[in-house]
Amino acid sequence: MRIFNGFDELKAAVCTEVGISDWIEITQERINKFADATCDEQWIHVDQERALAEMPGGKTIAHGLLSLSLAPMFIREVMGLSGLKNTLNYGADRIRYLAPVPSGSRLRGRVSIAEAEEVPPNGLRVSYRLVIEIEGGQRPACVAELIALHYR
């Protein structure tokens, strides 16, 4: 884990990779819980029997938003920022889902700092570039620019 001691260190890291998280398995149970929580129970996500018969590879696939929802965990795993009062999710730009995530796959996050700009009062708006990789995959599951407001 990389710890940043203040906004200046974080600003100095713009255009650099911060780190790569550990792998996390995307189990069918996790997919089912996400489907329940979001009311998105499309068969490609939850019907294992039908997926076996009709899906390439014979497996259900995770929701794209499930992959993206792991972003805070991936970022917190690779970095910390000392001296903060709080952090707010400001939004996201340029989200792309580039490859399906079959159940049983493992994902990890590759985190970079794209931009950092001071905002009043006592804040720093940071754009993080997140590439969510699939173990053994040719393409990432998801690429996104996530924006956070950090306050000291």
Side-chain angles (χ1 to χ4, degrees):
M1 173 181 281
R2 185 170 171 188
I3 303 296
F4 294 92
N5 293 305
F7 287 176
D8 288 338
E9 285 186 17
L10 197 56
K11 288 189 295 187
V14 168
C15 296
T16 66
E17 184 174 283
V18 176
I20 304 170
S21 74
D22 291 333
W23 295 103
I24 181 170
E25 185 176 359
I26 305 303
T27 63
Q28 187 62 50
E29 179 182 10
R30 183 183 298 272
I31 294 169
N32 292 346
K33 286 180 178 179
F34 191 85
D36 289 344
T38 60
C39 299
D40 182 356
E41 297 177 345
Q42 187 180 153
W43 74 266
I44 62 172
H45 304 305
V46 297
D47 189 335
Q48 291 177 281
E49 289 180 23
R50 187 170 175 188
L52 183 61
E54 297 183 37
M55 292 293 290
K59 294 183 176 183
T60 61
I61 60 170
H63 307 72
L65 289 172
L66 169 56
S67 299
L68 184 62
S69 74
L70 299 171
M73 179 194 67
F74 291 142
I75 293 170
R76 280 193 311 266
E77 189 174 307
V78 301
M79 65 167 284
L81 181 56
S82 64
L84 289 183
K85 286 187 180 176
N86 61 27
T87 295
L88 302 174
N89 177 355
Y90 190 72
D93 288 331
R94 292 184 269 256
I95 299 168
R96 299 292 181 266
Y97 301 103
L98 303 176
V101 177
S103 64
S105 296
R106 292 184 352 139
L107 301 178
R108 71 178 178 188
R110 182 178 295 271
V111 180
S112 302
I113 299 173
E115 297 178 27
E117 179 182 358
E118 294 211 30
V119 293
N122 297 317
L124 187 69
R125 183 175 48 237
V126 179
S127 294
Y128 295 97
R129 177 173 165 76
L130 176 65
V131 178
I132 301 174
E133 300 174 336
I134 306 169
E135 187 175 39
Q138 298 294 317
R139 301 182 72 186
C142 178
V143 176
E145 185 176 305
L146 307 169
I147 307 163
L149 290 174
H150 301 296
Y151 291 98
R152 56 180 168 208

